Amino acid sequence: MADLLSTGVSGLLASQIGLSTVSHNVANVNTDGYSRQLVQFNARPAQALGNFYVGTGVNTAAVQRAYSQYLNTALWTAASDQGRAAAYQSLTAQLNNQLSGSTNLQTSLDAFYGALGDVANTPSDASSRGVLLARANALSSTFQSLSSQFNQLGAQVQRQLGDTVNSINSDSQSIAKLNDQIRTAYASGKGEPSDLLDQRDALVKKISSEVGVTVVPQNDHTVSVFVGNGQALVNGANSYALSTAPNAYDPSKLEVVAKDSGMVLTGQIGGGTLGALLDFRSNVLDPAQNQLGRAAVAMASAFNAQHAQGMDLNGAMGGTFFNVGAPQVLGNAANQGSGTVSASITNVGALTTKDYVLKYDGSAWSLSDTAGNSVAMTGTGTSADPFKADGLSFVVGGAASAGDSFRIQPTSAAAAGFNTAITDPNKIAAAAPLVAAKGSGNTGSGAVGGISVTDPSNAGLLGSANIVFTSPTTYTINGGAAQTYTPGQPISANGWSLNLSGAPAANDSFTVKANSNARGDNANALNLGKVANLGVLDSGNTSVGRAYGQLTSQVGSAGSLAKDALTTQNSVYQQALQTQQGVSGVNIDEEAASLVRYQQAYQASAQVISTANQIFSALLSAVHG
């Protein structure tokens, strides 16, 4: 009866463990990251009786979680991609909202040029001129506001970088502690610590959503977690923190670094929220700020150039109408020499949206963009012969040391520095500064085709000039030396250029003089209006409005792609989660069936024990009866 009793007790205990495991599964049905646990039973060694063996019961071999390393790894990868897509979509959506909000640049441009049209219609009207200045200030505010909003979004990215790094460090520490506990549990020989393993896997999944990681299982049941090109976050019971540090060129911009070594990891991080933040900053936000600045430079350059060719109500040549932020030159914090670099924009049509790095190797300077691509330069870097590349000029000075470098940001600060340079409506140069006329006694068919200003700073620009043709192919200006006239070619002097049509005859004359009717003249105002559609950028193919359209299109495209990517990654993540849960998830119906099965087994084992007890009691009664 002892064997029967022992067999019944083993079944009772096994069923009890089964019931406890099922109840644990049911209790954790809503616990994120929990893997259902299964009990493994083994039959006890049978007892030989004569020519046969009689079973002696059951042993509980293990309580293990339902788990697939492959499916969990796939889930972690999906979580990393989803985390990146969600953060990237959120940031691009914010940038899109800024561009399409109340500070829409195209609306401000349209209002400004509308006011300019009113000045062209009534050039002497003080109220029209006042409205134009107000619209110019509003346009300046729009450039500044958009730049400020971009900067605020950049500051938000900075804060999120710090918060995400702190979260990663906290999770790394927790994984390291669990590694130690799991290793100790296995070393005790008491089986698999399922709940600890689940907690670790949940943290690995969480850290995967924060940054792209590589997880490597070790022989002692710990896991090592790496980021980038092999930087360890966790190794055994040790964790290694990330940190943020100021960019070598721009202290206001944070880089992700390894806290212990200080090695910059920014370019190595691709997945998770952290990867999205870095990618958005370098591939969307910074180019958008540069493109906005490029539009500001184009607007100021083109409008100022035409305004300088006009005359204001005071009879003076038009001056600068808009100011714009200058290119920024940032020295590397590690520079050892005393070298200096100054940068200026010399060809707006060749300007790009890139930033550049100018580096000295000890004997020569070289230029590359921030992606590391080499950019060809001409010149020697002196003030008389500056380096030139992509519409920029660089002048170097001082004594640079080998390895010194400077970051050039041609347009990043341009929009922030955009403002209206004049405050007096009378200084709006709406009139043409010069008028040209043919002599009343001319006999040839020559006529004035137009006059333009080529050098507004020329001291003799507003002086009178009398052009007399000594023959159909020669002329003099104010009785000076004879000059050759080529039909179709302009006559130029004192910063102006006169075009003639037809064929002048000998003794024909033409006069050029200052415009005495500047108050009622609108010639330059009409030309200023044409700046709206003037090709300024991209070798004269892109206007200011079109440049802004390119900006909104680029950001809109990035936002659309980010939205699509998020939809795709959500689907991939849900599929990976469902597949993983199909193996590891708790199914209430299955657990209910297991509960009934273990309950019945428990009751049956109890009946075996009761039967053994009855037989033993009957035996005792027979012996003593």
Side-chain angles (χ1 to χ4, degrees):
M1 294 308 101
D3 289 341
L4 183 60
L5 182 62
S6 176
T7 299
V9 169
S10 72
L12 189 71
L13 293 175
S15 298
Q16 187 178 40
I17 292 173
L19 287 169
S20 296
T21 301
V22 170
S23 64
H24 186 56
N25 287 342
V26 173
N28 286 280
V29 65
N30 295 315
T31 301
D32 185 35
Y34 177 80
S35 300
R36 65 190 178 99
Q37 297 178 8
L38 304 172
V39 185
Q40 293 184 358
F41 302 109
N42 290 333
R44 285 181 174 178
Q47 181 180 3
L49 292 176
N51 295 328
F52 53 87
Y53 290 88
V54 176
T56 60
V58 63
N59 283 328
T60 303
V63 177
Q64 295 180 321
R65 58 183 184 151
Y67 178 77
S68 167
Q69 180 66 45
Y70 170 78
L71 294 180
N72 265 38
T73 300
L75 180 61
W76 298 338
T77 300
S80 178
D81 293 340
Q82 186 199 42
R84 182 190 185 284
Y88 202 81
Q89 190 277 331
S90 175
L91 292 167
T92 54
Q94 291 182 61
L95 189 58
N96 266 306
N97 289 338
Q98 290 176 353
L99 289 174
S100 61
S102 59
T103 53
N104 184 294
L105 182 60
Q106 188 60 57
T107 301
S108 294
L109 284 169
D110 291 342
F112 172 74
Y113 281 109
L116 183 59
D118 292 338
V119 170
N121 292 331
T122 54
S124 62
D125 183 62
S127 62
S128 295
R129 287 172 171 263
V131 170
L132 177 59
L133 278 189
R135 295 301 186 191
N137 289 329
L139 177 61
S140 299
S141 295
T142 299
F143 271 114
Q144 295 169 16
S145 177
L146 282 171
S147 180
S148 176
Q149 290 182 52
F150 286 4
N151 288 335
Q152 290 173 14
L153 186 54
Q156 176 187 323
V157 170
Q158 302 288 77
R159 291 191 298 272
Q160 287 183 259
L161 280 173
D163 293 343
T164 304
V165 165
N166 290 337
S167 180
I168 291 169
N169 290 339
S170 176
D171 293 338
S172 297
Q173 291 172 1
S174 298
I175 292 172
K177 290 178 181 178
L178 285 168
N179 267 346
D180 189 41
Q181 295 173 22
I182 290 168
R183 182 167 55 191
T184 301
Y186 272 107
S188 69
K190 296 181 179 179
E192 179 184 276
S194 299
D195 293 320
L196 292 177
L197 291 170
D198 281 344
Q199 292 175 37
R200 188 178 67 185
D201 284 351
L203 282 170
V204 171
K205 176 186 168 187
K206 181 173 180 290
I207 206 172
S208 295
S209 70
E210 296 166 337
V211 62
V213 295
T214 301
V215 182
V216 180
Q218 303 298 321
N219 293 332
D220 61 354
H221 303 288
T222 64
V223 294
S224 294
V225 182
F226 301 94
V227 68
N229 294 335
Q231 171 63 37
L233 294 180
V234 179
N235 188 12
N238 299 313
S239 63
Y240 303 91
L242 300 179
S243 184
T244 56
N247 178 272
Y249 299 102
D250 185 358
S252 68
K253 183 174 293 186
L254 295 179
E255 303 292 347
V256 178
V257 301
K259 187 173 184 178
D260 292 340
S261 65
M263 182 176 65
V264 177
L265 303 174
T266 297
Q268 302 177 24
I269 294 172
T273 301
L274 192 62
L277 292 169
L278 296 171
D279 191 4
F280 171 79
R281 185 178 69 182
S282 62
N283 293 325
V284 179
L285 184 58
D286 286 352
Q289 184 76 283
N290 288 348
Q291 176 75 337
L292 179 67
R294 194 171 78 128
V297 169
M299 178 66 191
S301 174
F303 201 85
N304 286 348
Q306 186 60 53
H307 191 257
Q309 296 183 38
M311 178 178 284
D312 63 23
L313 290 183
N314 300 321
M317 293 299 295
T320 298
F321 195 95
F322 290 117
N323 293 317
V324 67
Q328 303 295 295
V329 179
L330 306 172
N332 193 308
N335 285 357
Q336 298 297 311
S338 60
T340 61
V341 174
S342 62
S344 59
I345 296 172
T346 53
N347 182 0
V348 176
L351 206 57
T352 73
T353 59
K354 297 178 181 179
D355 290 343
Y356 303 88
V357 174
L358 187 64
K359 187 173 183 179
Y360 185 64
D361 65 4
S363 60
W365 292 88
S366 61
L367 185 69
S368 62
D369 59 28
T370 50
N373 302 308
S374 180
V375 178
M377 290 193 304
T378 61
T380 59
T382 65
S383 57
D385 184 27
F387 292 128
K388 290 188 176 181
D390 288 353
L392 303 168
S393 289
F394 311 116
V395 175
V396 298
S401 296
D404 286 359
S405 62
F406 298 82
R407 181 163 182 162
I408 317 295
Q409 298 177 326
T411 62
S412 65
F418 191 95
N419 60 70
T420 307
I422 64 174
T423 57
D424 183 359
N426 288 339
K427 291 187 176 181
I428 297 174
L434 301 169
V435 291
K438 69 177 184 178
S440 58
N442 287 1
T443 59
S445 61
V448 174
I451 185 169
S452 61
V453 175
T454 56
D455 181 9
S457 63
N458 191 296
L461 177 67
L462 299 180
S464 296
N466 187 35
I467 304 169
V468 177
F469 278 82
T470 55
S471 75
T473 58
T474 59
Y475 64 91
T476 63
I477 299 178
N478 291 339
Q483 301 181 51
T484 302
Y485 173 71
T486 302
Q489 296 298 313
I491 297 173
S492 300
N494 299 332
W496 51 258
S497 180
L498 174 67
N499 289 308
L500 299 179
S501 62
N507 298 319
D508 282 357
S509 65
F510 297 86
T511 58
V512 175
K513 63 181 180 178
N515 186 359
S516 60
N517 186 35
R519 180 168 292 275
D521 186 85
N522 69 349
N524 200 52
L526 293 174
N527 288 331
L528 285 169
K530 296 176 182 178
V531 173
N533 299 312
L534 180 66
V536 182
L537 299 166
D538 302 322
S539 301
N541 293 315
T542 304
S543 65
V544 175
R546 187 176 178 186
Y548 180 70
Q550 290 175 346
L551 170 60
T552 57
S553 176
Q554 289 168 6
V555 174
S557 177
S560 178
L561 291 173
K563 186 177 181 180
D564 291 344
L566 178 58
T567 300
T568 300
Q569 294 305 325
N570 281 338
S571 177
V572 170
Y573 174 78
Q574 289 300 323
Q575 183 177 0
L577 180 62
Q578 291 173 7
T579 304
Q580 187 264 354
Q581 286 294 293
V583 173
S584 300
V586 176
N587 185 306
I588 290 296
D589 292 337
E590 291 183 6
E591 299 304 320
S594 296
L595 191 64
V596 171
R597 177 163 56 87
Y598 286 128
Q599 181 184 17
Q600 292 176 345
Y602 186 92
Q603 291 172 343
S605 295
Q607 187 62 42
V608 170
I609 294 172
S610 177
T611 300
N613 183 56
Q614 291 174 6
I615 293 174
F616 187 67
S617 296
L619 181 60
L620 288 177
S621 297
V623 171
H624 296 288

